């Protein structure tokens, strides 16, 4: 079997998760990790070639990777990196800023068509598998809205994208952002009220921030709370902690969430669809989703497709390692 040759672009939490996920998929092989900080990654990774992402023309000519899985941050990496990488390799990314998604799609679609390659954008669990569940629930339960809730337990769930966004603020050394679902809002949906929510009615945001020496806490709190898309629409609390407190109190990257949709069928029989995910490690779970779609991207390449695609455009059979016969016999 010819394996799908994958290069990881950017080595952080999701990048590490993709490395582990590729090792679980027998039809894939990791040919290199490309980073802006080669020495940092080389110190951690011994068994895979580590290359400078800026030298892509040189190493891609040699490696001939089939797929690049981009693991940079949504806030400031992906909209620069993806249009550059797609000039050389078909891409998969996990861009997760929902409010900027249409503009990001347009930008990558244009770059991918120019390069005559396919790009799958905004994969992961949300956007990603929850997007698919929202669309299906909305189609099956006619007229019902589909709602996504995150951070269902008392501790809430760690949002990687929001933590990453806080860390881009000058004066912030480290940060974690916990999302809390507002339980009354979930109850309204389950009751079939089909409510009209604004983002702030469904979730609140709790930030734990470590400052650089000399940074001004009031200024940083104001910058976080006014950040468009990420925090401005929400009730946000900001707590300043030491690095030791952050490390001690918040271990790992747990997260969870559900998509809920409620309506009626026929002459008024109640109908409820719920789809729930619970992750011990959000970046590893995100990475497993990204990696599974390398299979679909390779099929798109073989079919000569180009432009940007989302999870909504991709058949489940393209993602599965199973043959059509196995899918029919075991999964239908
Ligand atoms: N769609 C979804 O469901 C979903 C879910 C979770 C996350 N995400 C997305 O995934 C993105 C990446 O998350 P992440 O947790 O992997 O972010 P991260 O750990 O901060 O890594 C982001 C990038 O920063 C660089 N980096 C990492 N550690 C570094 C260090 N110690 N020093 C210097 N540079 C470092 C790496 O690039 P270089 O190797 O080039 O330096 C890496 O690619 C998030 O921004 C979010 O948008 C999406």
């Amino acid at each position: 079997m010819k394996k799908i040759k994958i290069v990881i672009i950017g080595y952080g939490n999701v990048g590490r998760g993709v490395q582990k996920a590729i090792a679980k998929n027998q039809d894939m092989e990791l040919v290199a990790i490309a980073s802006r900080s080669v020495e940092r990654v080389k110190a951690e990774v011994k068994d895979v070639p580590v290359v400078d992402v800026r030298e892509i023309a040189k190493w891609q000519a040699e490696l001939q990777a089939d797929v690049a899985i981009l693991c940079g941050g949504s806030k400031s990496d992906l909209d620069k990196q993806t249009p550059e990488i797609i000039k050389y390799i078909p891409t998969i990314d996990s861009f997760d800023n929902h409010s900027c998604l249409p503009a990001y799609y347009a930008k990558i679609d244009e770059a991918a068509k120019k390069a005559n390659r396919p790009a799958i954008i905004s994969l992961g669990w949300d956007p990603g598998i929850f997007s698919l569940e929202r669309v299906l629930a909305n189609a099956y339960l006619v007229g019902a809205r589909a709602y996504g809730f995150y951070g269902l337990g008392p501790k809430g769930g760690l949002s990687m994208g929001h933590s990453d966004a806080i860390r881009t603020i000058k004066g912030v050394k480290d940060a974690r952002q916990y999302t809390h679902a507002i339980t009354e809002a979930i109850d309204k949906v389950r009751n079939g009220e089909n409510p009209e929510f604004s983002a702030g009615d469904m979730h609140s945001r709790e930030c734990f921030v470590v400052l650089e020496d000399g940074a001004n806490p009031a200024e940083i709190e104001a910058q976080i709370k006014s950040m468009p898309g990420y925090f401005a629409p929400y009730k946000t609390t900001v707590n300043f902690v030491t690095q030791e407190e952050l490390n001690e109190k918040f271990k790992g990257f747990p997260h969870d969430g559900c998509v809920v949709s409620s309506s009626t069928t026929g002459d008024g029989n109640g109908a409820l669809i719920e789809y729930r995910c619970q992750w011990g490690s959000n970046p590893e779970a995100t990475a497993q989703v990204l990696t599974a779609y390398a299979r679909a991207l390779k099929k798109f390449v073989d079919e000569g497709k180009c432009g940007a695609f989302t999870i909504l455009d991709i058949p489940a059979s393209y993602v599965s390692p199973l043959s059509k016969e196995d899918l029919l016999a075991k999964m239908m």
Side-chain angles (χ1 to χ4, degrees), residues 11 13-14 35-37 40 74 96 123 125-126 160 164:
Y11 197 70
N13 301 307
V14 173
S35 170
R36 291 160 296 187
S37 30
R40 172 181 66 83
S74 296
D96 71 352
L123 275 172
W125 64 297
D126 199 346
M160 310 289 293
D164 191 35

Side-chain angles (χ1 to χ4, degrees), residues 40 106 124 132 152-153 223 241 245 262:
R40 172 181 66 83
L132 187 59
L152 307 175
Q223 278 190 58
V241 294
E245 283 168 336
S262 174

Side-chain angles (χ1 to χ4, degrees), residues 12-22 24 124-125 160 252-254 279-292:
N13 301 307
V14 173
R16 285 184 196 94
V18 170
Q19 185 183 9
K20 290 177 195 151
I22 291 169
K24 289 177 193 277
W125 64 297
M160 310 289 293
F253 301 95
W279 313 121
S281 167
N282 178 5
E284 286 177 5
T286 302
Q288 296 222 167
V289 179
L290 290 170
T291 305

Side-chain angles (χ1 to χ4, degrees), residues 29 71-72 207 228 234 267:
E29 71 173 304
C71 303
C207 312
Y234 300 91
D267 296 325

Side-chain angles (χ1 to χ4, degrees), residues 9-16 33-38 40-41 53 70-78 81 93-98 122-129 158-165 167 230 253 279 282-283 285-287 290:
I9 311 278
Y11 197 70
N13 301 307
V14 173
R16 285 184 196 94
I33 296 169
S35 170
R36 291 160 296 187
S37 30
V38 170
R40 172 181 66 83
V41 182
V53 68
L70 279 79
C71 303
S74 296
K75 178 84 176 21
S76 29
D77 294 339
L78 292 175
Q81 288 187 325
D93 72 60
S94 68
F95 184 83
D96 71 352
N97 187 339
H98 290 256
S122 296
L123 275 172
W125 64 297
D126 199 346
I129 48 184
L158 177 69
S159 167
M160 310 289 293
H162 288 78
S163 302
D164 191 35
R167 284 194 292 267
Y230 283 87
F253 301 95
W279 313 121
N282 178 5
T286 302
L290 290 170

Side-chain angles (χ1 to χ4, degrees), residues 9 82 88 111 120-121 124 135 143 145 184 199 210 218 246 265 283 297 315 319 324 330:
I9 311 278
T82 313
Y88 301 89
I120 305 178
I121 67 156
V135 171
R145 292 193 183 91
E184 295 76 13
V210 182
L246 195 78
T265 58
L297 188 61
V319 185
K324 182 160 185 180
K330 296 175 186 162

